[in-house]
Short mmCIF file of all heavy atoms in Angstrom, two decimals:
data_model
loop_
_atom_site.label_atom_id
_atom_site.label_comp_id
_atom_site.label_asym_id
_atom_site.label_seq_id
_atom_site.Cartn_x
_atom_site.Cartn_y
_atom_site.Cartn_z
N GLU C 1 25.97 -18.49 29.32
CA GLU C 1 25.06 -18.61 28.17
C GLU C 1 23.76 -19.34 28.52
O GLU C 1 22.76 -19.19 27.83
CB GLU C 1 25.76 -19.36 27.02
CG GLU C 1 26.93 -18.63 26.41
CD GLU C 1 28.25 -19.03 27.03
OE1 GLU C 1 28.24 -19.42 28.23
OE2 GLU C 1 29.28 -18.99 26.33
N LEU C 2 23.79 -20.18 29.55
CA LEU C 2 22.62 -20.96 29.92
C LEU C 2 21.91 -20.32 31.10
O LEU C 2 22.54 -19.93 32.09
CB LEU C 2 23.04 -22.38 30.32
CG LEU C 2 23.55 -23.30 29.21
CD1 LEU C 2 24.14 -24.57 29.81
CD2 LEU C 2 22.45 -23.66 28.24
N SER C 3 20.59 -20.22 31.01
CA SER C 3 19.81 -19.74 32.15
C SER C 3 19.79 -20.82 33.23
O SER C 3 20.11 -21.99 32.99
CB SER C 3 18.38 -19.41 31.71
OG SER C 3 17.68 -20.59 31.39
N PHE C 4 19.38 -20.45 34.45
CA PHE C 4 19.25 -21.45 35.51
C PHE C 4 18.25 -22.53 35.11
O PHE C 4 18.47 -23.72 35.34
CB PHE C 4 18.80 -20.78 36.82
CG PHE C 4 19.89 -20.02 37.52
CD1 PHE C 4 19.80 -18.65 37.69
CD2 PHE C 4 21.01 -20.67 38.02
CE1 PHE C 4 20.80 -17.94 38.34
CE2 PHE C 4 22.02 -19.98 38.67
CZ PHE C 4 21.92 -18.60 38.84
N ALA C 5 17.13 -22.12 34.50
CA ALA C 5 16.11 -23.09 34.11
C ALA C 5 16.65 -24.06 33.06
O ALA C 5 16.41 -25.27 33.14
CB ALA C 5 14.87 -22.36 33.58
N GLU C 6 17.39 -23.55 32.08
CA GLU C 6 17.97 -24.43 31.05
C GLU C 6 18.99 -25.38 31.66
O GLU C 6 18.99 -26.58 31.37
CB GLU C 6 18.62 -23.57 29.96
CG GLU C 6 17.61 -22.82 29.10
CD GLU C 6 18.25 -21.75 28.23
OE1 GLU C 6 19.39 -21.32 28.52
OE2 GLU C 6 17.59 -21.32 27.25
N ALA C 7 19.84 -24.84 32.52
CA ALA C 7 20.88 -25.67 33.12
C ALA C 7 20.28 -26.77 34.00
O ALA C 7 20.81 -27.88 34.06
CB ALA C 7 21.83 -24.80 33.95
N ALA C 8 19.16 -26.47 34.66
CA ALA C 8 18.53 -27.45 35.55
C ALA C 8 17.96 -28.63 34.78
O ALA C 8 17.70 -29.68 35.38
CB ALA C 8 17.42 -26.78 36.37
N CYS C 9 17.77 -28.50 33.48
CA CYS C 9 17.24 -29.61 32.67
C CYS C 9 18.32 -30.61 32.29
O CYS C 9 18.00 -31.73 31.86
CB CYS C 9 16.63 -29.06 31.38
SG CYS C 9 15.22 -27.97 31.61
N LEU C 10 19.59 -30.24 32.42
CA LEU C 10 20.66 -31.05 31.86
C LEU C 10 21.04 -32.29 32.67
O LEU C 10 21.28 -33.35 32.08
CB LEU C 10 21.92 -30.18 31.64
CG LEU C 10 21.76 -29.01 30.66
CD1 LEU C 10 23.07 -28.23 30.58
CD2 LEU C 10 21.37 -29.51 29.27
N PRO C 11 21.13 -32.25 34.01
CA PRO C 11 21.78 -33.34 34.72
C PRO C 11 21.07 -34.68 34.70
O PRO C 11 21.71 -35.70 34.97
CB PRO C 11 21.88 -32.81 36.16
CG PRO C 11 21.80 -31.32 36.03
CD PRO C 11 20.86 -31.10 34.90
N THR C 12 19.79 -34.74 34.44
CA THR C 12 19.10 -36.04 34.42
C THR C 12 18.69 -36.39 32.99
O THR C 12 19.33 -37.22 32.34
CB THR C 12 17.89 -36.04 35.36
OG1 THR C 12 18.34 -35.82 36.70
CG2 THR C 12 17.17 -37.38 35.32
N ALA C 13 17.66 -35.76 32.46
CA ALA C 13 17.14 -36.16 31.15
C ALA C 13 18.15 -35.92 30.03
O ALA C 13 18.39 -36.80 29.19
CB ALA C 13 15.84 -35.40 30.86
N TRP C 14 18.75 -34.75 30.00
CA TRP C 14 19.65 -34.43 28.91
C TRP C 14 20.97 -35.18 29.01
O TRP C 14 21.54 -35.61 28.00
CB TRP C 14 19.85 -32.92 28.81
CG TRP C 14 18.71 -32.29 28.06
CD1 TRP C 14 17.41 -32.25 28.44
CD2 TRP C 14 18.79 -31.67 26.77
NE1 TRP C 14 16.65 -31.64 27.47
CE2 TRP C 14 17.47 -31.26 26.44
CE3 TRP C 14 19.81 -31.39 25.88
CZ2 TRP C 14 17.16 -30.61 25.25
CZ3 TRP C 14 19.51 -30.73 24.69
CH2 TRP C 14 18.20 -30.36 24.39
N LEU C 15 21.46 -35.38 30.21
CA LEU C 15 22.66 -36.19 30.38
C LEU C 15 22.40 -37.63 29.99
O LEU C 15 23.23 -38.28 29.35
CB LEU C 15 23.15 -36.10 31.82
CG LEU C 15 24.40 -36.92 32.16
CD1 LEU C 15 25.58 -36.53 31.29
CD2 LEU C 15 24.74 -36.78 33.64
N THR C 16 21.23 -38.15 30.37
CA THR C 16 20.86 -39.51 29.97
C THR C 16 20.87 -39.64 28.45
O THR C 16 21.40 -40.61 27.89
CB THR C 16 19.47 -39.86 30.52
OG1 THR C 16 19.52 -39.85 31.95
CG2 THR C 16 19.01 -41.23 30.05
N ALA C 17 20.29 -38.67 27.75
CA ALA C 17 20.26 -38.69 26.29
C ALA C 17 21.66 -38.60 25.70
O ALA C 17 22.00 -39.30 24.74
CB ALA C 17 19.38 -37.55 25.78
N TYR C 18 22.48 -37.73 26.25
CA TYR C 18 23.85 -37.54 25.76
C TYR C 18 24.63 -38.86 25.84
O TYR C 18 25.29 -39.28 24.89
CB TYR C 18 24.53 -36.46 26.59
CG TYR C 18 25.96 -36.13 26.16
CD1 TYR C 18 26.21 -35.09 25.27
CD2 TYR C 18 27.04 -36.86 26.65
CE1 TYR C 18 27.51 -34.79 24.88
CE2 TYR C 18 28.34 -36.57 26.26
CZ TYR C 18 28.56 -35.53 25.37
OH TYR C 18 29.84 -35.23 24.98
N ARG C 19 24.53 -39.52 26.99
CA ARG C 19 25.27 -40.78 27.18
C ARG C 19 24.73 -41.87 26.24
O ARG C 19 25.50 -42.63 25.65
CB ARG C 19 25.17 -41.23 28.63
CG ARG C 19 25.96 -42.50 28.97
CD ARG C 19 25.83 -42.79 30.46
NE ARG C 19 26.49 -44.02 30.88
CZ ARG C 19 27.76 -44.10 31.29
NH1 ARG C 19 28.51 -43.00 31.31
NH2 ARG C 19 28.29 -45.24 31.68
N MET C 20 23.40 -41.96 26.11
CA MET C 20 22.81 -42.95 25.21
C MET C 20 23.34 -42.80 23.79
O MET C 20 23.76 -43.77 23.16
CB MET C 20 21.28 -42.81 25.20
CG MET C 20 20.58 -43.21 26.48
SD MET C 20 18.82 -42.83 26.43
CE MET C 20 18.21 -44.13 25.32
N LEU C 21 23.30 -41.58 23.30
CA LEU C 21 23.58 -41.33 21.89
C LEU C 21 25.07 -41.29 21.57
O LEU C 21 25.53 -41.88 20.58
CB LEU C 21 22.92 -40.01 21.47
CG LEU C 21 22.80 -39.73 19.98
CD1 LEU C 21 22.07 -40.85 19.26
CD2 LEU C 21 22.07 -38.40 19.77
N PHE C 22 25.84 -40.62 22.42
CA PHE C 22 27.25 -40.34 22.09
C PHE C 22 28.24 -41.27 22.78
O PHE C 22 29.38 -41.39 22.33
CB PHE C 22 27.60 -38.90 22.43
CG PHE C 22 26.76 -37.88 21.71
CD1 PHE C 22 26.17 -36.83 22.39
CD2 PHE C 22 26.53 -37.97 20.34
CE1 PHE C 22 25.39 -35.89 21.74
CE2 PHE C 22 25.75 -37.04 19.67
CZ PHE C 22 25.17 -36.00 20.37
N VAL C 23 27.84 -41.90 23.88
CA VAL C 23 28.77 -42.75 24.62
C VAL C 23 28.46 -44.23 24.43
O VAL C 23 29.36 -45.04 24.21
CB VAL C 23 28.75 -42.40 26.13
CG1 VAL C 23 29.73 -43.29 26.91
CG2 VAL C 23 29.08 -40.92 26.35
N LYS C 24 27.19 -44.61 24.46
CA LYS C 24 26.81 -46.01 24.48
C LYS C 24 26.45 -46.61 23.13
O LYS C 24 26.63 -47.81 22.90
CB LYS C 24 25.61 -46.20 25.44
CG LYS C 24 25.96 -46.05 26.91
CD LYS C 24 26.80 -47.23 27.38
CE LYS C 24 26.96 -47.26 28.88
NZ LYS C 24 27.66 -48.47 29.35
N SER C 25 25.89 -45.82 22.22
CA SER C 25 25.26 -46.40 21.03
C SER C 25 26.26 -46.92 20.00
O SER C 25 25.97 -47.86 19.26
CB SER C 25 24.34 -45.38 20.37
OG SER C 25 25.09 -44.40 19.66
N GLY C 26 27.43 -46.29 19.91
CA GLY C 26 28.37 -46.64 18.84
C GLY C 26 27.95 -46.14 17.47
O GLY C 26 28.59 -46.46 16.46
N LEU C 27 26.88 -45.36 17.41
CA LEU C 27 26.39 -44.84 16.13
C LEU C 27 27.19 -43.61 15.71
O LEU C 27 27.84 -42.95 16.53
CB LEU C 27 24.91 -44.49 16.25
CG LEU C 27 23.99 -45.68 16.57
CD1 LEU C 27 22.58 -45.18 16.87
CD2 LEU C 27 23.96 -46.67 15.41
N ARG C 28 27.09 -43.29 14.42
CA ARG C 28 27.85 -42.18 13.86
C ARG C 28 26.91 -41.18 13.19
O ARG C 28 25.85 -41.58 12.68
CB ARG C 28 28.87 -42.69 12.84
CG ARG C 28 29.87 -43.67 13.39
CD ARG C 28 30.84 -44.17 12.32
NE ARG C 28 30.14 -44.83 11.21
CZ ARG C 28 29.70 -46.08 11.24
NH1 ARG C 28 29.86 -46.82 12.32
NH2 ARG C 28 29.09 -46.60 10.19
N PRO C 29 27.30 -39.91 13.15
CA PRO C 29 26.50 -38.93 12.41
C PRO C 29 26.24 -39.40 10.99
O PRO C 29 27.10 -40.01 10.34
CB PRO C 29 27.39 -37.68 12.43
CG PRO C 29 28.20 -37.82 13.69
CD PRO C 29 28.47 -39.29 13.82
N GLY C 30 25.04 -39.13 10.52
CA GLY C 30 24.61 -39.60 9.21
C GLY C 30 23.76 -40.85 9.27
O GLY C 30 23.01 -41.15 8.33
N GLN C 31 23.85 -41.61 10.37
CA GLN C 31 23.03 -42.80 10.52
C GLN C 31 21.63 -42.41 11.02
O GLN C 31 21.41 -41.31 11.50
CB GLN C 31 23.70 -43.80 11.46
CG GLN C 31 24.96 -44.42 10.88
CD GLN C 31 25.54 -45.51 11.75
OE1 GLN C 31 25.97 -45.27 12.86
NE2 GLN C 31 25.57 -46.73 11.21
N THR C 32 20.71 -43.37 10.90
CA THR C 32 19.31 -43.11 11.24
C THR C 32 18.99 -43.68 12.61
O THR C 32 19.25 -44.85 12.89
CB THR C 32 18.37 -43.74 10.19
OG1 THR C 32 18.72 -43.24 8.90
CG2 THR C 32 16.92 -43.37 10.48
N VAL C 33 18.41 -42.84 13.45
CA VAL C 33 18.06 -43.20 14.82
C VAL C 33 16.57 -43.00 15.02
O VAL C 33 16.03 -41.94 14.68
CB VAL C 33 18.84 -42.34 15.84
CG1 VAL C 33 18.42 -42.64 17.26
CG2 VAL C 33 20.34 -42.54 15.68
N LEU C 34 15.90 -44.02 15.59
CA LEU C 34 14.50 -43.90 15.95
C LEU C 34 14.39 -43.63 17.44
O LEU C 34 14.94 -44.36 18.26
CB LEU C 34 13.74 -45.19 15.61
CG LEU C 34 12.27 -45.24 16.05
CD1 LEU C 34 11.44 -44.23 15.26
CD2 LEU C 34 11.71 -46.65 15.90
N VAL C 35 13.68 -42.56 17.79
CA VAL C 35 13.43 -42.21 19.18
C VAL C 35 11.98 -42.55 19.50
O VAL C 35 11.06 -42.00 18.90
CB VAL C 35 13.70 -40.71 19.44
CG1 VAL C 35 13.38 -40.36 20.89
CG2 VAL C 35 15.15 -40.37 19.12
N GLN C 36 11.79 -43.47 20.43
CA GLN C 36 10.44 -43.88 20.81
C GLN C 36 9.86 -42.90 21.84
O GLN C 36 10.53 -42.52 22.78
CB GLN C 36 10.45 -45.29 21.40
CG GLN C 36 10.86 -46.39 20.43
CD GLN C 36 9.73 -46.82 19.50
OE1 GLN C 36 8.77 -46.08 19.26
NE2 GLN C 36 9.84 -48.03 18.96
N GLY C 37 8.60 -42.52 21.61
CA GLY C 37 7.90 -41.73 22.62
C GLY C 37 8.22 -40.26 22.62
O GLY C 37 8.67 -39.71 23.63
N ALA C 38 8.01 -39.61 21.48
CA ALA C 38 8.28 -38.17 21.39
C ALA C 38 7.55 -37.40 22.47
O ALA C 38 6.44 -37.75 22.85
CB ALA C 38 7.87 -37.66 20.01
N SER C 39 8.18 -36.37 22.96
CA SER C 39 7.66 -35.36 23.90
C SER C 39 8.18 -35.52 25.30
O SER C 39 8.18 -34.57 26.08
CB SER C 39 6.13 -35.28 23.94
OG SER C 39 5.57 -36.22 24.84
N GLY C 40 8.64 -36.72 25.69
CA GLY C 40 9.24 -36.86 27.01
C GLY C 40 10.56 -36.11 27.10
O GLY C 40 11.15 -35.73 26.08
N GLY C 41 11.06 -35.93 28.32
CA GLY C 41 12.28 -35.16 28.51
C GLY C 41 13.48 -35.76 27.82
O GLY C 41 14.23 -35.08 27.11
N VAL C 42 13.71 -37.08 28.00
CA VAL C 42 14.85 -37.73 27.36
C VAL C 42 14.66 -37.76 25.85
O VAL C 42 15.59 -37.50 25.08
CB VAL C 42 15.05 -39.15 27.92
CG1 VAL C 42 16.17 -39.88 27.18
CG2 VAL C 42 15.38 -39.09 29.41
N ALA C 43 13.45 -38.08 25.40
CA ALA C 43 13.19 -38.15 23.95
C ALA C 43 13.42 -36.80 23.29
O ALA C 43 14.03 -36.71 22.21
CB ALA C 43 11.76 -38.62 23.71
N THR C 44 12.96 -35.74 23.91
CA THR C 44 13.17 -34.40 23.36
C THR C 44 14.65 -34.09 23.27
O THR C 44 15.13 -33.56 22.26
CB THR C 44 12.46 -33.36 24.25
OG1 THR C 44 11.06 -33.63 24.28
CG2 THR C 44 12.68 -31.96 23.72
N ALA C 45 15.40 -34.43 24.31
CA ALA C 45 16.85 -34.19 24.29
C ALA C 45 17.52 -34.99 23.18
O ALA C 45 18.42 -34.49 22.50
CB ALA C 45 17.44 -34.56 25.65
N LEU C 46 17.09 -36.23 22.98
CA LEU C 46 17.66 -37.06 21.93
C LEU C 46 17.44 -36.45 20.55
O LEU C 46 18.32 -36.47 19.70
CB LEU C 46 17.06 -38.47 21.99
CG LEU C 46 17.58 -39.36 23.11
CD1 LEU C 46 16.65 -40.55 23.33
CD2 LEU C 46 19.00 -39.86 22.79
N ILE C 47 16.25 -35.90 20.34
CA ILE C 47 15.95 -35.26 19.05
C ILE C 47 16.88 -34.07 18.83
O ILE C 47 17.52 -33.94 17.77
CB ILE C 47 14.48 -34.81 18.99
CG1 ILE C 47 13.55 -36.02 19.03
CG2 ILE C 47 14.22 -33.97 17.75
CD1 ILE C 47 12.10 -35.66 19.30
#
């Protein structure tokens, strides 16, 4: 389902975002999260 280009984006920026949000933060769906610095790779993934 993922192109090579899409898959290549995951291991650094997107994995960093995944761990921040779902592993480290302790936050739950429905809560409000502020992402600083829109447009960067990690920030985009977090959104």
Side-chain angles (χ1 to χ4, degrees):
E1 294 94 331
L2 291 170
S3 69
F4 285 116
E6 290 167 341
C9 297
L10 298 179
T12 298
W14 278 65
L15 178 58
T16 297
Y18 182 94
R19 183 177 177 89
M20 291 173 74
L21 194 56
F22 301 132
V23 180
K24 288 290 190 175
S25 76
L27 298 171
R28 301 179 301 280
Q31 292 186 296
T32 304
V33 176
L34 175 67
V35 177
Q36 295 280 23
S39 86
V42 175
T44 299
L46 285 163
I47 295 166

